[in-house]
């Protein structure tokens, strides 16, 4: 349990990739604060299971990633209740699929806020404590869409490209403080986020469900397989190790070869 005594925040961890990160961190003994929306009883079950797994503390915080004051309060709460925030995984994200000239303004604003600005606010709140303790790991879930574009995903592609730039900037700023800052760029991972965009893609491209899965989603991935949330979490766990102390400012693809093409 190499993370015993360390404490982590994972945003957007009530489901999908974020929950896999939280489970992986807890399995290595970390205290974990989970965040995101969903059914209260289901979230409490996950929280209790994380505490059981780690043998440490597990908290749930409902901070809305569109609200900078709630993000700062969440970091302050974790520092108070855990005694430190050593690891921040900025993972909350949403998607909306539509051409630019039909893209709803409120979706543009929400995607930029949740998928990009929340990471800035998390960094801003967590870096001072990490600097004091001379150790920190900041990891964001970017996307293959931080490196390449797809039509009808203007806000998402913009936010994820921005996240890759923010990662590099932050890495340079904290490079001498024992803090590393990296992002992970998955291709298509089988989670509710992908499931939920299938109907919109069917509509905008006039395709059946099977065509969207095989000809749109998996078409991009040379391996013809979805990435698994646990595979993304395993990479994040490696970045938390002391062996990864010289990995910073990097953007790791885990996309079945998508961005190699
Ligand atoms: P998901 O829908 O399963 O999980 C998203 C999480 O974010 C949930 O916990 C949800 O409650 C939370 N969330 C949404 N809005 C929020 C808000 N305003 N405040 C706080 N939490 C909020 O999706 P996922 O596929 O696990 O996505 C996680 C991350 O991975 C996202 O950043 C996404 O862009 C990225 N990603 C996903 C894929 C994929 O194929 N699934 C690929 C590349 C990158």
């Amino acid at each position: 349990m190499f993370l015993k005594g360390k404490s982590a925040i994972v945003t957007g961890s009530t489901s999908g990739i974020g929950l896999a990160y939280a489970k992986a961190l807890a399995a290595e003994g970390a205290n974990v604060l989970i965040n995101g929306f969903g059914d209260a009883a289901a979230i409490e079950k996950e929280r209790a299971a994380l505490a059981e797994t780690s043998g440490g503390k597990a908290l749930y915080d409902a901070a809305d990633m569109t609200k900078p004051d709630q993000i700062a309060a969440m970091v302050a709460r974790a520092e108070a209740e855990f005694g430190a925030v050593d690891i921040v995984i900025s993972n909350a994200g949403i998607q909306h699929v539509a051409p630019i000239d039909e893209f709803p303004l409120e979706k543009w604003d929400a995607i930029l806020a949740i998928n990009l600005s929340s990471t800035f606010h998390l960094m801003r709140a967590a870096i001072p404590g990490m600097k004091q303790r001379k150790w920190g790991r900041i990891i964001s879930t970017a996307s293959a869409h931080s490196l390449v574009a797809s039509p009808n995903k203007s806000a998402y592609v913009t936010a994820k490209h921005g996240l890759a730039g923010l990662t590099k900037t932050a890495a340079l700023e904290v490079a001498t403080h024992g803090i590393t800052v990296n992002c992970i760029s998955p291709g298509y991972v089988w989670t509710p986020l992908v499931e939920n965009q299938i109907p919109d893609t069917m509509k905008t491209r006039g395709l059946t469900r099977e065509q969207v899965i095989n000809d749109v989603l998996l078409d991009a991935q040379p391996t013809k397989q979805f990435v698994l949330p646990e595979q993304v979490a395993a990479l994040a766990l490696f970045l938390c190790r002391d062996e990864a102390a010289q990995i910073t400012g990097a953007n790791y693809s885990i996309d079945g070869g998508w961005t190699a093409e």
Side-chain angles (χ1 to χ4, degrees):
M1 287 197 158
F2 79 97
L3 292 176
K4 201 88 206 159
K6 293 273 195 277
S7 300
I9 291 176
V10 186
T11 68
S13 46
T14 52
S15 126
I17 299 168
L19 186 56
Y21 286 134
K23 287 180 177 170
L25 292 165
E28 291 298 341
N31 298 321
V32 185
L33 180 148
I34 55 168
N35 155 265
F37 304 139
D39 174 66
I43 292 171
E44 173 51 24
K45 207 172 151 203
E46 295 293 359
R47 190 208 60 76
L50 290 167
E52 172 92 37
T53 304
S54 69
K57 293 184 182 170
L59 299 172
Y60 165 67
D61 194 292
D64 181 341
M65 291 301 111
T66 65
K67 304 276 190 310
D69 55 335
Q70 293 187 21
I71 297 171
M74 177 182 72
V75 174
R77 180 184 167 207
E79 282 185 336
E81 297 203 28
F82 293 151
V85 173
D86 306 294
I87 299 163
V88 170
I89 303 189
S90 180
N91 169 77
I94 60 166
Q95 174 64 287
H96 187 80
V97 180
I100 289 172
D101 50 345
E102 292 169 19
F103 211 90
L105 295 183
E106 68 280 8
K107 290 286 183 197
W108 171 271
D109 288 343
I111 290 173
L112 268 288
I114 297 167
N115 298 19
L116 175 59
S117 298
S118 75
T119 308
F120 166 78
H121 297 298
L122 282 163
M123 288 174 170
R124 195 165 179 276
I127 283 174
M130 291 178 175
K131 277 185 175 171
Q132 261 176 18
R133 291 181 296 276
K134 301 182 172 50
W135 197 93
R137 293 288 186 267
I138 299 172
I139 300 165
S140 300
T141 312
S143 164
H145 283 120
S146 74
L147 298 162
V148 295
S150 295
N152 305 319
K153 295 186 177 177
S154 55
Y156 191 86
V157 170
T158 302
K160 295 296 186 181
H161 274 65
L163 196 49
L166 175 61
T167 297
K168 290 195 246 185
T169 307
L172 296 179
E173 290 186 15
V174 298
T176 58
H177 293 272
I179 306 167
T180 68
V181 189
N182 294 288
C183 58
I184 297 178
S185 284
Y188 282 105
V189 188
W190 191 250
T191 70
L193 182 140
V194 167
E195 177 63 39
N196 293 342
Q197 65 187 279
I198 292 174
D200 281 347
T201 309
M202 286 167 65
K203 205 168 74 190
T204 53
R205 297 206 189 176
L207 301 173
T208 66
R209 181 182 165 81
E210 287 63 38
Q211 284 171 323
V212 172
I213 291 174
N214 295 315
D215 303 344
V216 179
L217 303 182
L218 291 182
D219 181 55
Q221 286 184 192
T223 57
K224 301 297 168 206
Q225 290 181 31
F226 284 100
V227 180
L228 302 178
E230 295 73 24
Q231 294 169 335
V232 181
L235 179 51
L237 216 49
F238 178 73
L239 292 172
C240 292
R241 290 191 171 271
D242 285 334
E243 290 91 325
Q246 294 304 316
I247 300 175
T248 195
N251 182 355
Y252 272 97
S253 291
I254 175 163
D255 63 7
W258 174 350
T259 52
E261 285 196 305

